Amino acid sequence: MLYTHATIITVDSNRRIIEDGAIRVQNDLIADIDKTAALKAKYPDEDEYDLTGRIVIPGLISTHMHTAQTLLRGAADDLELVSWLCERIWVLQGNFTAEDGYAAARLSIGEMLKSGTTCFLESMFADRYGFDGLARAVEESGIRGCLGKIVMDIAKYAKDDAWAMHPGLVEDRETSLLGTLAMWEKWNGKANDRIRVWFGARTPGGVSDTLYREMTSLSREKGIPITMHCAEVRADRDFFASVGHTPMTYCDSVGLLSPSTVLVHMVHLDDDDITRLASSGTHVAHCPTSNAKLASGICRVPDLQRAGVNIGLGTDGAPCNNTCDLLQEMKLAGIIHKSLSYDPTAVPAESVLEMATINGARALGLEDRIGSLEIGKKADFVAIDTRRIHLQPWFNPVSAVVYTATGRDVDIVVVDGQMLVRSGELLTMDEQEIVREAQRRSQEVVARAGLKDRVKARWPVE
């Protein structure tokens, strides 16, 4: 198949942009990429899909996502993190069933695909949500998923015993760590290697040093990557201080710093933390909307970039972002650091697009397969329809993608050479059935949690 007449942002090593470009897809790979005229002359008998008026980018990669939480969109707005977590989200998630987890995963994946995300890192899927259902949803939908299963053995947040985890979410070493190994044996590499299984460690304070060290040892032994929230709020920094550490000296002490680790949020770091992080090759997932909405702070992205830290981008969960649209996340990532630094040149659009594509691929250990549009890489790409009034005119296609487009402008999505979205519609999933199921199950979860009087509109509804 030839996809023709598009403006193609390759994000290759030369950062080429090809006007009136074309991509030849053969099986699950990019077989050729060039000007449309050149490829049509080279492959005169190839089927053609016309993308006139579209900008084509590599498939977007979300390096931090909670698929279960999409079922709870809008259920905990305008709360700071610890109240948000301990009094609302953990209570709701502690009342999930495996069927709820599957419905939530399908809802998340459908939204991600329709808004241009072709690969995601699930950060911390609890055992009660049903990991098999999550993996099955990835397999059925055609998306690419790195699936972190939770690792924990302490049921509280940071150093305060009052911040207790809901009993329905408490897991021990056998359920979490050994359960992850079982799921790795079962699912890793399945669905034409679209599924990878990760360790999804809880935030420090939720995992003993002993369990962290066992996990990091297994990570090195078996090649299982790790993702973990870290230094998200001041309470995290206080926890590290209470055990005689900064965030990165603690992570280093238990073996977490590694090119196979993605640390999420990373807001409360000092200069020495950044130096240690950079030298280790550990990756960061930046989640500006979540950090802003929960008033957690702002990650020191320009400082991390200057130090050479690889930074990806993530939407986080729907209750702290309210959308899985990584295009919207890209806009905030390009704006928030300008405001904080009083420097309009900080984190330009090109850097943001790199975060959402090639940097994300590097963080997931998939840089040789995805993240840029190059011959021999997987055929994962997205076409954005710029023929609409709110996208015209544009002069720099990268700027148009980062600052103007949203997920609602996504026209087609291709993963592994298969078209999963066409004309903005899902092809591998029944959207209306997913929505009906999500609506029903979300209400059931709220009722089981006993929160119907709190999860509702604040103003009177007649």
Side-chain angles (χ1 to χ4, degrees):
M1 173 72 78
L2 286 180
Y3 294 87
T4 59
H5 299 298
T7 298
I8 302 174
I9 305 174
T10 64
V11 199
D12 65 8
S13 59
N14 294 317
R15 301 302 190 258
R16 291 184 305 152
I17 297 173
I18 306 172
E19 291 188 337
D20 194 11
I23 299 172
R24 182 177 183 235
V25 174
Q26 193 169 28
N27 299 319
D28 59 351
L29 299 175
I30 296 172
D32 212 342
I33 184 167
D34 205 337
K35 293 279 192 179
T36 293
L39 291 198
K40 288 182 73 170
K42 200 171 179 180
Y43 310 103
D45 299 324
E46 197 86 12
D47 291 338
E48 182 179 348
Y49 193 99
D50 192 331
L51 290 175
T52 298
R54 282 77 150 190
I55 296 174
V56 170
I57 60 174
L60 299 176
I61 299 167
S62 181
T63 53
H64 186 61
M65 170 63 189
H66 294 267
T67 50
Q69 289 184 0
T70 309
L71 208 61
L72 308 177
R73 191 194 318 268
D77 290 333
D78 305 325
L79 299 171
E80 56 81 32
L81 178 74
V82 177
S83 300
W84 175 90
L85 192 61
C86 299
E87 298 171 12
R88 192 70 59 89
I89 296 304
W90 275 349
V91 179
L92 291 163
Q93 291 180 164
N95 282 277
F96 265 51
T97 65
E99 292 76 17
D100 297 329
Y102 177 61
R106 294 178 73 215
L107 182 68
S108 299
I109 289 168
E111 182 183 356
M112 284 191 285
L113 284 174
K114 288 193 68 171
S115 55
T117 292
T118 58
C119 180
F120 70 97
L121 174 55
E122 158 62 50
S123 68
M124 209 162 51
F125 207 76
D127 191 71
R128 73 172 301 121
Y129 309 155
F131 191 90
D132 284 331
L134 171 61
R136 194 167 75 251
V138 171
E139 185 173 43
E140 294 165 350
S141 67
I143 202 168
R144 200 177 298 281
C146 297
L147 310 180
K149 189 176 181 301
I150 196 167
V151 176
M152 65 164 292
D153 59 351
I154 299 173
K156 63 177 184 177
Y157 191 95
K159 68 184 183 69
D160 194 327
D161 290 335
W163 298 337
M165 201 171 208
H166 186 276
L169 290 176
V170 176
E171 298 185 31
D172 57 16
R173 171 185 176 274
E174 286 66 31
T175 304
S176 64
L177 181 74
L178 301 187
T180 303
L181 291 177
M183 290 299 99
W184 181 76
E185 293 284 354
K186 182 175 183 178
W187 285 106
N188 194 66
K190 294 295 175 65
N192 196 35
D193 203 25
R194 285 188 291 106
I195 296 175
R196 298 288 181 92
V197 177
W198 286 45
F199 289 122
R202 276 202 65 214
T203 312
V207 184
S208 67
D209 291 5
T210 299
L211 190 60
Y212 270 136
R213 291 190 177 102
E214 183 178 5
M215 180 189 69
T216 56
S217 176
L218 286 167
S219 172
R220 291 188 294 271
E221 176 189 334
K222 296 180 178 291
I224 305 174
I226 298 167
T227 187
M228 186 188 77
H229 297 67
C230 188
E232 181 177 3
V233 292
R234 289 192 181 96
D236 294 325
R237 185 86 198 191
D238 292 343
F239 167 79
F240 292 120
S242 74
V243 293
H245 280 287
T246 71
M248 292 304 95
T249 63
Y250 179 84
C251 288
D252 200 9
S253 74
V254 294
L256 282 163
L257 297 187
S258 159
S260 296
T261 297
V262 175
L263 296 178
V264 184
H265 300 301
M266 300 290 276
V267 173
H268 297 276
L269 304 179
D270 61 27
D271 290 347
D272 290 340
D273 283 324
I274 291 174
T275 299
R276 190 179 295 263
L277 179 68
S279 65
S280 72
T282 305
H283 312 276
V284 168
H286 180 35
C287 306
T289 300
S290 170
N291 295 155
K293 186 166 185 261
L294 292 172
S296 302
I298 300 175
C299 178
R300 296 172 58 184
V301 165
D303 293 334
L304 290 168
Q305 289 178 325
R306 283 189 285 271
V309 176
N310 181 54
I311 306 169
L313 201 62
T315 60
D316 209 339
C320 59
N321 186 322
N322 300 68
T323 179
C324 304
D325 182 349
L326 201 64
L327 281 162
Q328 291 190 46
E329 199 72 28
M330 288 165 66
K331 181 172 183 174
L332 185 59
I335 290 173
I336 197 168
H337 303 288
K338 304 179 194 308
S339 177
L340 184 67
S341 65
Y342 299 97
D343 178 5
T345 68
V347 193
E350 288 76 12
S351 293
V352 176
L353 185 59
E354 289 170 340
M355 287 183 202
T357 56
I358 194 66
N359 290 9
R362 187 175 300 125
L364 302 185
L366 299 174
E367 186 183 7
D368 62 333
R369 296 168 177 247
I370 61 174
S372 61
L373 302 178
E374 302 179 69
I375 294 171
K377 281 197 170 185
K378 291 285 189 177
D380 290 15
F381 58 88
V382 172
I384 295 169
D385 192 342
T386 64
R387 297 172 296 178
R388 300 167 180 176
I389 192 169
H390 62 277
L391 278 156
Q392 287 294 332
W394 57 263
F395 302 95
N396 172 359
V398 177
S399 172
V401 169
V402 172
Y403 293 133
T404 311
T406 73
R408 294 176 181 86
D409 300 312
V410 169
D411 181 32
I412 73 163
V413 175
V414 175
V415 179
D416 242 15
Q418 301 298 309
M419 192 181 294
L420 306 183
V421 174
R422 183 176 59 224
S423 300
E425 299 298 325
L426 292 169
L427 300 181
T428 58
M429 309 174 79
D430 183 338
E431 182 173 349
Q432 293 309 309
E433 188 271 329
I434 290 170
V435 168
R436 286 192 300 270
E437 185 77 355
Q439 288 172 335
R440 178 176 68 86
R441 290 193 173 277
S442 64
Q443 294 299 318
E444 291 174 353
V445 168
V446 171
R448 283 199 301 272
L451 291 176
K452 289 184 73 172
D453 291 336
R454 298 176 69 184
V455 180
K456 62 178 184 178
R458 289 175 175 163
W459 288 355
V461 178
E462 297 180 355

